[in-house]
C-alpha cells in the first residue's frame, strides 16, 4: 500500500483510538514530540499521530532507528525529523511528548550499557524538564523488564519486580525503573502530567533484521534457511503483541484523563513457549530450517505474561490481532526487505 493509502487506513484506525477516549479538546491538532520516532514502534506511532491530524516532531539519534522507517513521511508538511540525542538537553515548543528513545533489544542496549543508562535517566530528565517548562503531557515507554525475572505470574502493575542491579540487563532494567521514579517525582513535585506504560514484547514490520529479539531472529533465520536458535530448552514463555494493537493502547493512554498516571501494562496476554513460536514461524514460512539449542543467557526471565485488567478497565483496550495473523504480516515485511538489494536499502 502506498503512503496515502496507508495514512487513510491509519486515519480510520487512529480516529477509532481517539474517538472513544478523547474529549473534544484533546482531539484538536497538537504539536507532538516523538523521541525514538525513527525506531520500530516510534515510526508506527508517528504515522498514527499524523493520520489523526497532529504536527509531529520525530527526534532520534539514529542509533538503532533507521531513516528508511520514516522516509515515506518526509513529504508530509506536518512532519519534521530532527537528529538529536536525548542525553543532551533540548528546547522545543510542544503540547505532548512520547518518550520512546532507547534501544530495546538486549544486544543493542548492552553494546554501550553506560549510554543506555544515560538515555533512560538523563534523557528522561531532559524531557521531563521540557514538559515542566512547556506544560506538555509526557508519556514514558517503560517496559515489562522492570519486573525482571518475575516471582509473580502473570505480572500485575502492583508487583515490584525481581531485578538484578548489576547483571548484563541492568543498564536497561534499572535505567527504566529509575525513569519511572523520575516521572513520578516530577509529577509530585512539579505537577507534570505523566503517563507510564509498561510494554510487553511487541513485534511487527520495521523491526530490524539484526534486532536480536526472538520474533525477528526466528523469522530471518527461517526465511534465509538458517538453523533456528532456541536459547535453553524452549519451555520458557513469552507473550507477543502486534505493533498496531500496542500503538492503539499507547494513544489511548496519552488521551486518558489526567488522573490516570499509570503504570499500565500493555501487551498481549496470550502466552506461548519459545518452542511453539519457533514451530509457528517454521509452519508459516514453509521453511526447512532445523531447531537448534544454545545455553540460556544470564538473567533471562522464565515466564512473561501481562495482566492487562487495568488497561481493559481504564482504557477499554485489549489486543485484537492474534499471533498467526501478526506473524504473517511480519513475515511479509521481512520477506520484502530481505529480497531488496543491499544498495537500495542503504540509500534510504
Ligand atoms: N518493542 C518492544 O517489545 C518494547 C518492549 C518494551 C519497551 N519498549 C520500549 O519502547 C521504545 C521503543 O522500542 P522499539 O522496539 O521501537 O526499539 P527501537 O530500538 O527500534 O527504537 C528506539 C529508537 O530510539 C532511538 N534512540 C536510542 N537512544 C536514543 C537517544 N539517546 N537519543 C535519541 N534517540 C535514541 C533509536 O535510534 C531508535 O530509533 C523503547 O523505549 C523501548 O524500551 C519496547
Amino acid at each position: 500500500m502506498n503512503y496515502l493509502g496507508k495514512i487513510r487506513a491509519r486515519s480510520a484506525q487512529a480516529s477509532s483510538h481517539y474517538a472513544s477516549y478523547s474529549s473534544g479538546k484533546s482531539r484538536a491538532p497538537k504539536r507532538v514530540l516523538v523521541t525514538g520516532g525513527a525506531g520500530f514502534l516510534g515510526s508506527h506511532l508517528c504515522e498514527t499521530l499524523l493520520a489523526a491530524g497532529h504536527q509531529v516532531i520525530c527526534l532520534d539519534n539514529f542509533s538503532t532507528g533507521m531513516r528508511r522507517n520514516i522516509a515515506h513521511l518526509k513529504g508530509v508538511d506536518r512532519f519534521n525529523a530532527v537528529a538529536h540525542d536525548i542525553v543532551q538537553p533540548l528546547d522545543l515548543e510542544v503540547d505532548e511528548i512520547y518518550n520512546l528513545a532507547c534501544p530495546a533489544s538486549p544486544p543493542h542496549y548492552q553494546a554501550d550499557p553506560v549510554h543506555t543508562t544515560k538515555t533512560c535517566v538523563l534523557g528522561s530528565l531532559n524531557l521531563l524538564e521540557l514538559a515542566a517548562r512547556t506544560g506538555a503531557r509526557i508519556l514514558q515507554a517503560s517496559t515489562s523488564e522492570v519486573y525482571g525475572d518475575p516471582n509473580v505470574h502473570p505480572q500485575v502493575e502492583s508487583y515490584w519486580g525481581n531485578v538484578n542491579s548489576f547483571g548484563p540487563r541492568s543498564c536497561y532494567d534499572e535505567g527504566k525503573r529509575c525513569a519511572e521514579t523520575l516521572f513520578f517525582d516530577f509529577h509530585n513535585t512539579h505537577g507534570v502530567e505523566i503517563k507510564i506504560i509498561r510494554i510487553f514484547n511487541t513485534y511487527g514490520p520495521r523491526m530490524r533484521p539484526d534486532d536480536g529479539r526472538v520474533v525477528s531472529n526466528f523469522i530471518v533465520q527461517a526465511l534465509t534457511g538458517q538453523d533456528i536458535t532456541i536459547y535453553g530448552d524452549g519451555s520458557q514463555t513469552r507473550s507477543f503483541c502486534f505493533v498496531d494493537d500496542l500503538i492503539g493502547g499507547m494513544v489511548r493512554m496519552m488521551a486518558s484523563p489526567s488522573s490516570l498516571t499509570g503504570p499500565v501494562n500493555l501487551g498481549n496476554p496470550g502466552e506461548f513457549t519459545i518452542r511453539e513460536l519457533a514451530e509457528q514461524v517454521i509452519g508459516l514460512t514453509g521453511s526447512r530450517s532445523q531447531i537448534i539449542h544454545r545455553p540460556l543467557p544470564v538473567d533471562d526471565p522464565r515466564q512473561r505474561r501481562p495482566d492487562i485488567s487495568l488497561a481493559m478497565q481504564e482504557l477499554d483496550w485489549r489486543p485484537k490481532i492474534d499471533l498467526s495473523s501478526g506473524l504473517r504480516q511480519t513475515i511479509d515485511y521481512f520477506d520484502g526487505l530481505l529480497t531488496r538489494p543491499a544498495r537500495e536499502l542503504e540509500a534510504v
Side-chain angles (χ1 to χ4, degrees):
M1 199 187 297
N2 66 20
Y3 178 62
L4 273 179
K6 190 153 191 180
I7 210 164
R8 274 188 209 110
R10 289 241 171 234
S11 204
Q13 191 188 30
S15 30
S16 80
H17 293 324
Y18 278 93
S20 49
Y21 258 81
S22 323
S23 64
K25 182 169 170 261
S26 57
R27 273 202 299 273
K30 296 197 171 86
R31 289 161 302 179
V32 186
L33 173 63
V34 179
T35 74
F40 160 50
L41 296 181
S43 60
H44 288 275
L45 175 63
C46 288
E47 273 182 3
T48 295
L49 294 169
L50 287 171
H54 299 298
Q55 185 184 328
V56 175
I57 304 160
C58 160
L59 188 143
D60 208 295
N61 70 355
F62 296 98
S63 51
T64 56
M66 295 180 293
R67 291 183 194 278
R68 69 168 175 262
N69 286 346
I70 51 169
H72 61 296
L73 303 175
K74 287 273 173 65
V76 181
D77 58 2
R78 286 176 289 107
F79 181 76
N80 282 294
V82 179
H84 183 84
D85 192 310
I86 60 163
V87 167
Q88 305 303 326
L90 64 160
D91 200 11
L92 292 164
E93 294 306 320
V94 287
D95 304 309
E96 286 180 350
I97 303 168
Y98 287 84
N99 183 24
L100 274 62
C102 187
S105 86
H108 291 143
Y109 68 64
Q110 289 168 5
D112 186 348
V114 174
H115 197 76
T116 299
T117 304
K118 282 186 179 175
T119 296
C120 292
V121 179
L122 297 179
S124 293
L125 188 63
N126 287 328
L127 293 165
L128 285 160
E129 280 170 353
L130 178 67
R133 188 188 68 67
T134 56
R137 186 176 267 207
I138 180 166
L139 179 144
Q140 167 68 353
S142 190
T143 169
S144 57
E145 300 291 332
V146 301
Y147 301 119
D149 189 1
N151 296 321
V152 168
H153 194 74
Q155 291 79 57
V156 65
E157 290 85 348
S158 55
Y159 175 52
W160 288 358
N162 176 35
V163 178
N164 179 353
S165 63
F166 55 86
R169 303 172 78 100
S170 306
C171 56
Y172 184 74
D173 301 7
E174 296 287 24
K176 289 282 188 178
R177 287 169 70 93
C178 183
E180 289 195 9
T181 309
L182 281 169
F183 268 67
F184 274 99
D185 288 341
F186 266 75
H187 175 68
N188 293 328
T189 60
H190 301 296
V192 170
E193 274 196 48
I194 61 160
K195 304 277 171 193
I196 296 177
I197 54 169
R198 290 182 178 158
I199 304 171
F200 284 65
N201 207 329
T202 301
Y203 69 98
R206 305 214 190 108
M207 295 183 90
R208 293 172 64 110
D210 65 350
D211 182 88
R213 281 177 280 186
V214 65
V215 175
S216 48
N217 270 2
F218 285 179
I219 293 177
V220 171
Q221 288 168 337
L223 289 174
T224 54
Q226 301 171 59
D227 289 338
I228 295 200
T229 321
I230 289 185
Y231 295 97
D233 64 4
S235 63
Q236 68 273 37
T237 66
R238 294 291 184 276
S239 59
F240 303 101
C241 185
F242 189 65
V243 58
D244 288 358
D245 279 333
L246 193 277
I247 299 297
M250 201 183 281
V251 296
R252 276 174 182 246
M253 182 66 180
M254 182 61 107
S256 66
S258 330
S259 54
L260 183 68
T261 56
V264 173
N265 288 338
L266 293 181
N268 193 320
E271 188 176 1
F272 296 87
T273 66
I274 294 297
R275 174 166 283 277
E276 284 168 338
L277 176 73
E279 284 163 357
Q280 281 221 33
V281 169
I282 290 174
L284 290 167
T285 51
S287 172
R288 295 185 171 191
S289 295
Q290 302 296 313
I291 293 176
I292 57 163
H293 294 266
R294 294 265 181 271
L296 264 183
V298 179
D299 294 340
D300 199 53
R302 289 280 321 149
Q303 272 187 313
R304 268 293 163 67
R305 177 157 71 92
D307 180 320
I308 60 163
S309 312
L310 191 61
M312 291 196 299
Q313 183 189 313
E314 298 292 334
L315 305 175
D316 191 20
W317 176 87
R318 74 197 66 209
K320 298 194 175 83
I321 298 157
D322 65 25
L323 184 61
S324 69
S325 55
L327 282 178
R328 272 194 199 93
Q329 294 183 55
T330 313
I331 289 166
D332 285 350
Y333 167 76
F334 278 112
D335 202 21
L337 191 71
L338 296 172
T339 51
R340 284 168 76 183
R343 251 178 298 111
E344 195 188 318
L345 292 176
E346 276 162 18
V348 287

